[in-house]
Amino acid sequence: MGQRLFVPKELDASEPRVAASPDTVKRLSGLGFEVFIEKGAGTLSRILDSDFEKAGATIASAKDAAKADIILKLRRPTSSELSTYKKGAVVIATMDPYGNEAEVAAMAKAGVTGFAMEFMPRITRAQSMDVLSSQANLAGYRAVIDAAAEYDRALPMMMTAAGTVPAAKVFVMGAGVAGLQAIATARRLGAVVTATDVRAAAGEQVQSLGAKFIMTEALKDASGEGGYARELTDDEKKAQAELVADHIAKQDIVITTALIPGRPAPRLVTKDMVASMKAGSVIVDLAVERGGNVEGAVAGQVVTTANDVKIIGHINVPGRVAASASLLYAKNLYAFLETMVDKEKKELAIDMEDELVKATMLTHDGAVVHPNFKDAAAAASAAPAKADPQVAKAAGGTEPGLEVAPKKAPARKSAAKGTGTAKTTRRKAAPKADEPKSGGDL
């Protein structure tokens, strides 16, 4: 009998995505896993139970998670879910650990080996595993669609016998994966697009999509490690704000995409900037779940200001394109899991020296092992446990799959011991990785 792999239905009512697809079920079965899918797990992503069955999966109930050796999820397991997992189970999901150290400690206490997909290093080898890029790409697309739905005018220029309809002016703040897709989508719809980013190298990408790149002379370049942006100095922030304030007043649609790992989202658009915009203008804040880039944005709401500007603050934007997002996310998970499978024995064999494992492993063998969270998780575990936000309210938690740049995780000095479920081996360390590819937002 092969190792059991279980894909549950997400408990969060605001999460319509699923961590498997008929295609990945076939591939996982080919690796030697017995695949179990919870009944109705893919319904909101337009994947029926019968589709999974045809691909070789067994439709199961939530209680079958207790027998699983591997569990694939979208979001970090809740306390109620952890209580049903067996010790030593491998859980792969987007864990959203920053600010949730107590929940990370609870995973360690439950004895599961947890992998945070959002910490996948952005190297050539891991491109097919990059959940941040796959989900942010769709978020950028959906941001433009949502803006167009709220904007009560046409986006392209239209010349008719009755007169000319001017093209909408769209301003995208942040030229990472989400921002670049927003630019491309807005251009396809016929809008006149401008964009800004604190990294000079982003200018070429913006211009290649047919948009105009704007950047203050006072800010030469704020590129950081791995293609992400560094934090700006006070003078740079001031200069950038002045540039934005002057430009934003002339725009019809503004889309913001800036996030900083482990911190509240930077404030890019102030109340005064919003007040300077024309009536009927629209702003989409893709960072609203982290506090927002726009003053006045509210998570889960479309706010209309006194001067009739709409601020869109939808949560889980990739989930608003669930059918497409699930297919890409499922492929990301499969690509990562495949690297940890012994092809001859057809069983999971985690190489603790693999750079992908080092970067993404959060918990193992009863402990928090990721260097960024060891101390914080230990302190949090000593404090009273918080109520599970995903059970307390549907919109609780944050969407971690949107351009959150993972901090670089230094290699641990020693490898953790293996468990009875996932065979742990030591192999020769992988050769030096390729240079990181760009794609992070502000």
Side-chain angles (χ1 to χ4, degrees), residues 145-428:
I145 301 302
D146 286 337
E150 296 290 346
Y151 186 62
D152 57 0
R153 300 171 181 83
L155 265 64
M157 182 180 75
M158 297 182 182
M159 300 180 70
T160 72
T164 300
V165 176
K169 296 178 181 177
V170 177
F171 181 39
V172 179
M173 303 183 71
V177 175
L180 290 173
Q181 183 56 248
I183 292 168
T185 303
R187 287 283 297 144
R188 291 189 195 105
L189 292 176
V192 175
V193 185
T194 55
T196 188
D197 197 287
V198 297
R199 298 158 302 168
E204 294 182 8
Q205 294 173 307
V206 168
Q207 292 168 353
S208 71
L209 293 172
K212 182 180 179 181
F213 184 67
I214 64 171
M215 189 176 191
T216 175
E217 290 296 324
L219 178 59
K220 301 301 180 184
D221 188 28
S223 297
E225 291 186 16
Y228 295 101
R230 63 169 171 79
E231 211 170 352
L232 303 185
T233 65
D234 290 340
D235 289 341
E236 288 172 336
K237 288 178 182 177
K238 182 179 178 181
Q240 186 74 355
E242 290 174 353
L243 173 72
V244 169
D246 180 62
H247 189 69
I248 210 170
K250 308 167 188 175
Q251 304 305 304
D252 299 307
I253 295 173
V254 176
I255 298 172
T256 68
T257 67
L259 284 171
I260 297 175
R263 302 180 189 178
R267 185 56 49 83
L268 303 181
V269 180
T270 65
K271 191 179 296 183
D272 290 339
M273 293 178 190
V274 176
S276 73
M277 298 181 72
K278 302 187 295 284
S281 299
V282 177
I283 303 174
V284 182
D285 189 344
L286 286 180
V288 71
E289 290 177 88
R290 292 288 187 183
N293 298 142
V294 183
E295 190 172 7
V298 179
Q301 295 184 27
V302 177
V303 176
T304 302
T305 66
N307 61 319
D308 198 26
V309 173
K310 291 184 178 180
I311 306 175
I312 301 174
H314 293 313
I315 61 173
N316 188 12
V317 178
R320 293 174 64 78
V321 202
S324 297
S326 293
L327 297 181
L328 297 182
Y329 183 80
K331 187 64 178 295
N332 294 147
L333 293 184
Y334 168 77
F336 178 46
L337 185 59
E338 184 186 23
T339 67
M340 297 188 287
V341 174
D342 185 319
K343 304 301 189 298
E344 293 182 1
K345 297 182 179 180
K346 289 187 178 278
E347 63 180 22
L348 198 63
I350 301 173
D351 178 8
M352 303 300 286
E353 295 303 315
D354 190 299
E355 60 186 329
L356 305 184
V357 171
K358 288 180 179 180
T360 58
M361 184 181 281
L362 266 184
T363 62
H364 181 64
D365 203 20
V368 176
V369 296
H370 198 287
N372 290 355
F373 301 97
K374 278 184 177 180
D375 296 337
S381 63
K386 295 189 297 183
D388 195 324
Q390 293 185 359
V391 175
K393 58 179 181 178
T398 58
E399 167 53 41
L402 184 65
E403 285 304 276
V404 179
K407 294 183 179 178
K408 188 175 182 181
R412 295 190 297 280
K413 293 182 178 179
S414 60
K417 295 181 179 179
T419 66
T421 298
K423 181 181 178 183
T424 307
T425 63
R426 289 177 180 270
R427 293 199 294 267
K428 186 176 180 181

